[in-house]
Every structure is written in C-alpha cells, then in structure tokens.
Amino acid sequence: MNEVLLRSLTPSVLGILVRRGADFAAAEDAVQDALVKAVRVWPADPPRDPKGWLVTVAWHRFLDATRADTARRRREELVDEEPVPGPAPAPAVDDTLQLYFLCAHPSLTPSSAVALTLRAVGGLTTRQVAQAYLVPEATMAQRISRAKRTVSGVRFDQPGDVATVLRVLYLVFNEGYSGDVDLAAEAIRLTRQLAAAIDHPEVAGLLALMLLHHARRATRTAPDGSLVPLAEQVRGRWDTGLIAEGVEILQAVLARDRLGEFQAQAAIAAVHADAPTAEETDWVQIVEWYDELARLTDNPVVRLNRAVAVGEADGPRAGLAALAALDDSSPSSSSRGYPMPRRTAVAAYLHERDGDLATAARLYAEAAQKAPNLAERDHLTRQAARLNTRGFR
C-alpha cells in the first residue's frame, strides 16, 4: 500500500467532491471513508486509476450519507449531477491550493487550522493526528469537527491568505515527530505540494528553511534525548543533500528580489550550514540578515536572536548591550514581550561568554524553572550545574 500516494491524492479528490456540490464537512468525511477502503482493498486489487477510484468511492459514500440526511429533491439533484464513471477530470483551478486556504482560514484557531490541514490536505486519520499531538482521539475528533463547521460557509473559490497558510505549515513542522507520523517530514511534503501549486517567493523561502533545518535533525539530540546546541552538533552528520537543495531553492528565490520573512530566516540557516565548524561561522553576515529580518517583522524573538548574533560577532558585552537595548526600546520590547526563559537563557549565555560565571549560573537556573518543556529545562539545569561545579573547583 502506497500511503504517500493516498495522501497526495487526498486534496484533489476532496476538491472534486466540493466542486460537485458536496458540503465541505460531508465531503471530507466521505474522502476519509474512501481512504480507509483503499487501504483495505488496494493491496489485493490495485486500481488502474487510483484518483478516479477514490473519487467514485468517496462520491458514492457522500450520496449514501446525503440520502439519510437531506430532502429527496436535493438528493435527486445530486444524483442527476453525478458524472459518468471514468478518469477524474482536471479542475479549472488548483483544488489543492484552495484547500490550503480553506483549512488555514483566519476564522480558525492555530491548533484547529493545523488539525484540519493535516486531515483534509495531508490525508492523515483523526487517530494519527491525535497521536501526533498527544491528545485523545475523541478530543481531536471534536476539534476537527468544530473546524469543519467553522469553515462550512466559506466559498471554496474564495481567495485565501498565503501568509496564514505558511504559518500553519511552519507550526506543523516545528512539532517534529510524535506518534506514528513524522510531522516535520509531513510539513515538508505539504510545503512542496503548495510550492507546486503556487509561484510565491515566501513559499519557496519556507521550503528552503524547512530543508535546511531538517538537515540537522539527526544531530539535535543526544541518544539520551538531551538537547545538543548548534555549536556542539557533529556537522559531518548533517544531511548534505537537503542542505544543497535548500540552498539552491533559496538562491533562486533571493534572485527575484522580493525578500520575505521566511527567506531571511532561510538565509540565516544557510550561513550556519555553510560553516565547516562553529568557529568559522560568519556571524557578521548573520547579524546583517537579522537586521533585514527585523525590518520585515516586529517579532521580539528575532531581536532576541539578533542579540545573540551580535554577541558572537562583536563580543559578549556587545551582545549584552543589544539585549539591554531591547528592554529599553519600547514597551513591546520589554521583558513582557519576550519568552522569559529564552531571554533569561540568552542573558546567561552572554554572561558566561563574558566570564561572569556566577551570574550566568544563576540565570541558567532561573531560565530552567520557567522552561516550556522538559528537554529545555534539563538542558538549562545542566548548564547551571556545569558552571556551579566549575566555580567550586
């Protein structure tokens, strides 16, 4: 059974049902039923036209449900509209792109948009999505049902917001891996699919960013699950194929001179990937890219990361000065605007670089107490313990 093929066909099959007049929520349920049947039937009896097979089965499943839920007049109209069996026709516009827009509709919460995208566009089952996000299947089913009801009144051909779609895909990518679904790989697959459907520089920028980050995946954690900082990662284990592809995509899109946030982030990742060792990193160029990124977005994390880069390029005291400037620049840049563990951890790192080990150890411990997850808490706790041990020698 080719699960990748099934997932890749899901959005186009769903789009065909919607264009035939099916309600989005009902059509999505019918497509899921068709996918389940395909998993059961195809290994012994593979169809010559997989997409046509899915469309036929899903359409009949929709009609069966419609007969139980709607009036006879509308039911007969839908039956009369059913096309003759045969290969599924190509839509006049790309249904896949419209589904991305629909599943990332601004009316949805980020968590709902992610869940609906993975199910309707990604072709994952509710169980798989629930396992990936470590919630009960019933909870995820309710979340997806609410999301489908929310967008049920949105016209399928209504223009969408590419930026919202990209944010949803990046949320999926950053979830990494859990359950039996590799969400980072799934996000890359969906972004490739989106890139094939629309010529947009930021789509290419996000794809390049994902590839460059994914290339380092095997080195980000130690065998015991602990975090490995970028400077300590074994660069010989980075995936050079993904790096080469990401850089090629990035260079092509930067040449179009339509810089966006994801392109700038990808450029920073590319500079890191280009350095043979951590010591050879071109931090001056990274600061310049953070300057570009700061002009594109008021995201406080960008300015926080820039302070780290300044500390590497111009020395830790310059980095601490940049960090202090953030707190003094505006209310939105104060400590209230920054993820406190992250800001405190940055301050700890820069104080350590400056030789103030006592202050660094205290700040590492403070950051650990407020860390958002166990891996970061353990990493910061170890940093504090390392400095405290050194101080007692």
Side-chain angles (χ1 to χ4, degrees):
M1 167 56 59
N2 191 335
E3 187 176 348
V4 174
L5 173 62
L6 279 178
R7 290 184 185 177
S8 67
L9 292 174
T10 296
S12 59
V13 173
L14 179 53
I16 289 172
L17 264 65
V18 172
R19 289 191 179 280
R20 288 183 179 178
D23 170 77
F24 173 77
E28 202 279 328
D29 286 337
V31 171
Q32 284 291 322
D33 287 343
L35 293 174
V36 170
K37 185 173 182 179
V39 170
R40 187 175 66 251
V41 172
W42 285 11
D45 185 20
R48 284 180 302 203
D49 177 17
K51 181 177 177 181
W53 188 98
L54 288 171
V55 169
T56 299
V57 172
W59 183 251
H60 285 157
R61 176 66 186 87
F62 166 71
L63 291 179
D64 288 342
T66 300
R67 291 187 182 98
D69 299 333
T70 63
R72 175 179 296 275
R73 182 177 61 82
R74 179 57 182 152
R75 186 169 70 235
E76 292 174 348
E77 290 174 355
L78 287 169
V79 173
D80 290 341
E81 292 168 7
E82 181 179 2
V84 296
V93 298
D94 196 312
D95 289 327
T96 299
L97 180 58
Q98 295 304 131
L99 280 174
Y100 275 101
F101 289 147
L102 189 64
C103 294
H105 195 269
S107 62
L108 295 172
T109 64
S111 61
S112 294
V114 165
L116 191 57
T117 297
L118 287 173
R119 176 158 157 149
V121 183
L124 302 183
T125 64
T126 301
R127 179 187 60 81
Q128 288 174 315
V129 180
Q131 286 182 343
Y133 284 90
L134 304 177
V135 301
E137 184 174 350
T139 300
M140 184 56 69
Q142 292 175 353
R143 183 182 301 175
I144 292 172
S145 293
R146 285 195 299 268
K148 290 194 290 187
R149 287 196 299 270
T150 299
V151 300
S152 61
V154 179
R155 287 200 342 264
F156 189 62
D157 59 351
Q158 182 175 323
D161 179 19
V162 174
T164 302
V165 174
L166 297 182
R167 284 194 294 272
V168 168
L169 291 175
Y170 201 37
L171 283 174
V172 176
F173 178 79
N174 285 325
E175 285 297 325
Y177 176 88
S178 54
D180 63 352
V181 177
D182 186 336
L183 290 178
E186 181 66 13
I188 291 173
R189 185 184 73 82
L190 292 175
T191 306
R192 288 188 190 279
Q193 190 169 265
L194 181 60
I198 183 173
D199 181 18
H200 191 289
E202 276 293 82
V203 176
L206 177 58
L207 179 56
L209 176 63
M210 288 179 174
L211 293 171
L212 289 164
H213 280 323
H214 205 55
R216 297 191 285 109
R217 176 175 179 166
T219 64
R220 283 205 185 100
T221 56
D224 62 359
S226 60
L227 295 179
V228 179
L230 176 61
E232 299 173 19
Q233 291 173 12
V234 180
R235 300 187 176 220
R237 294 180 57 208
W238 288 357
D239 189 324
T240 55
L242 290 180
I243 291 173
E245 183 184 4
V247 168
E248 182 179 4
I249 293 171
L250 177 63
Q251 289 176 337
V253 72
L254 288 178
R256 299 171 65 175
D257 198 23
R258 293 171 57 192
L259 186 64
E261 178 181 351
F262 287 116
Q263 296 169 65
Q265 290 187 55
I268 293 168
V271 175
H272 281 297
D274 187 55
T277 65
E279 294 73 22
E280 296 175 86
T281 302
D282 187 346
W283 285 105
V284 173
Q285 185 179 173
I286 288 178
V287 171
E288 292 172 351
W289 277 115
Y290 272 121
D291 288 340
E292 293 285 351
L293 190 53
R295 281 191 281 270
L296 293 167
T297 175
D298 195 31
N299 188 331
V301 175
V302 170
R303 300 183 184 278
L304 191 61
N305 289 339
R306 180 186 178 278
V308 176
V310 169
E312 298 290 353
D314 301 326
R317 295 198 177 184
L320 288 168
L323 196 61
L326 296 178
D327 293 341
D328 297 335
S329 61
S330 71
S332 64
S333 295
S334 70
S335 60
R336 296 191 302 271
Y338 289 89
M340 284 303 293
R342 178 79 172 107
R343 188 209 177 283
T344 306
V346 167
Y349 173 74
L350 291 171
H351 276 291
E352 180 184 357
R353 288 278 317 283
D354 196 38
D356 187 352
L357 303 189
T359 299
R362 175 179 59 79
L363 290 173
Y364 276 132
E366 181 182 329
Q369 292 176 355
K370 302 175 183 178
N373 57 64
L374 182 61
E376 288 187 33
R377 187 190 72 187
D378 289 349
H379 173 72
L380 293 168
T381 299
R382 281 194 296 271
Q383 297 306 306
R386 173 178 56 81
L387 294 185
N388 284 327
T389 301
R390 183 187 301 179
F392 288 124
R393 287 177 180 172

